Amino acid sequence: MDYLNLIKEAKLAMQNSYSPYSNFAVGAALITKKGKVYKGCNIENASYGATNCAERTALFSAIANGESEIEAMAIVSSGGEFTYPCGICRQVMAELMPNGKLIFSNDEKEYKVMTIDEILPYSFTKEDIR
Ligand code: THU
């Protein structure tokens, strides 16, 4: 699957966003090395801190289904601009998809490809706790 198709999947995932508090919908779709797609959206809560971002929803779903090799993740939002992951999601990505590519897309149908290392340099990882 190419990046444009993965972006389409992320847009589909965004339709399921549960975001009555922020009204900011986010969609993410990842593809494994074997070609399976897992989608995620942001899921908010009246207790705001219990909110789960779209990126972690997609990633946790993949891990919960036994996946370990993530090739790439596309991310879109209702804001229409490139939307970059929050700090918590970056940390989770560094752990669970360290070599995965990130594809950010905006409403102009442009996209950018970045690495986890670019968005979270000098990260704290399991290597540091040995
Ligand atoms: N959000 C995401 O799902 N992913 C991001 O990359 C940034 C923020 C969500 C969390 C919350 O539901 C809403 O966007 C506003 O912060």
Side-chain angles (χ1 to χ4, degrees):
M1 179 184 281
D2 62 26
Y3 289 159
L4 292 180
N5 274 325
L6 201 57
I7 291 165
K8 265 189 209 155
E9 294 285 334
K11 285 181 180 164
L12 283 176
M14 186 170 74
Q15 291 175 6
N16 293 330
S17 167
Y18 176 75
S19 44
Y21 306 103
S22 71
N23 289 310
F24 186 77
V26 186
L30 66 80
I31 187 160
T32 66
K33 289 206 168 134
K34 286 185 187 152
K36 192 141 195 258
V37 173
Y38 292 87
K39 298 202 283 283
C41 58
N42 55 330
I43 303 167
E44 298 185 344
N45 194 285
S47 175
Y48 295 173
T51 292
N52 211 61
C53 292
E55 296 91 325
R56 276 176 291 138
T57 305
L59 207 36
F60 290 160
S61 172
I63 300 302
N65 282 282
E67 306 290 354
S68 56
E69 297 194 307
I70 317 295
E71 180 90 40
M73 179 190 286
I75 301 156
V76 298
S77 80
S78 59
E81 308 285 344
F82 294 115
T83 297
Y84 302 103
C86 77
I88 294 173
C89 286
R90 292 177 198 215
Q91 181 66 27
V92 171
M93 288 168 171
E95 179 87 25
L96 301 176
M97 53 176 291
N99 302 312
K101 296 278 190 299
L102 297 173
I103 298 112
F104 302 104
S105 179
N106 63 11
D107 275 1
E108 312 305 314
K109 293 197 164 52
E110 297 164 324
Y111 73 87
K112 300 185 196 183
V113 183
M114 297 179 84
T115 63
I116 310 295
D117 204 46
E118 281 175 298
I119 63 159
L120 188 67
Y122 306 105
S123 61
F124 181 76
T125 69
K126 57 185 169 209
E127 310 303 324
D128 296 304
I129 6 182
R130 285 224 170 118

